[in-house]
Amino acid sequence: MNTALSIAIDEAFFQARKALNEEAPTEAFSWLERAHILSQRMPILHAQSHWLMLRAGWQLRDLRKVLSQVPRIMAALLFSKIWVPLGNSGRARVSAFAPMPISPELQRLLHGEMQ
């Protein structure tokens, strides 16, 4: 993993955890979407993004958000190295199988290009 990507993933998880600790789950979700997209090919980090989304859903008292993350955690652990829908935000409101556009910034990070 390139340094810029590693730093971006660490920052996204740090900010998401900070938001969750401050009980700001909506803010956490925007950081978790970023972490999810950047870590999709890394099973442990990918599953971690879904676990934290489950926690954010719990803080929101949104059963749909909580329950949708359980199978995604398992799938992240089992399939991240085989296939992922690139750019997918990982949220309950989108299909777990739908690829989504990736911002130019995240594309540069994923492809190891300097900004």
Side-chain angles (χ1 to χ4, degrees), residues 35-90:
H36 180 265
I37 293 165
L38 293 174
S39 69
Q40 278 183 304
R41 298 267 184 202
M42 302 164 214
I44 300 300
L45 293 175
H46 186 183
Q48 183 177 2
S49 71
H50 287 295
W51 169 251
L52 294 173
M53 285 184 193
L54 183 149
R55 284 186 51 202
W58 183 263
Q59 284 186 5
L60 289 168
R61 303 294 186 249
D62 187 325
L63 187 61
R64 178 175 181 232
K65 284 180 174 45
V66 170
L67 293 177
S68 72
Q69 295 306 320
V70 174
R72 291 174 192 231
I73 292 168
M74 299 307 294
L77 291 169
L78 296 172
F79 301 113
S80 292
K81 290 283 189 181
I82 300 168
W83 178 83
V84 292
L86 294 177
N88 187 291
S89 68

Side-chain angles (χ1 to χ4, degrees), residues 2 5 38 86 102-114:
N2 70 63
L5 177 59
L38 293 174
L86 294 177
I102 302 173
S103 74
E105 176 204 3
L106 296 186
Q107 285 181 13
R108 284 190 297 274
L109 286 167
L110 289 168
H111 296 301
E113 300 168 13
M114 298 305 292

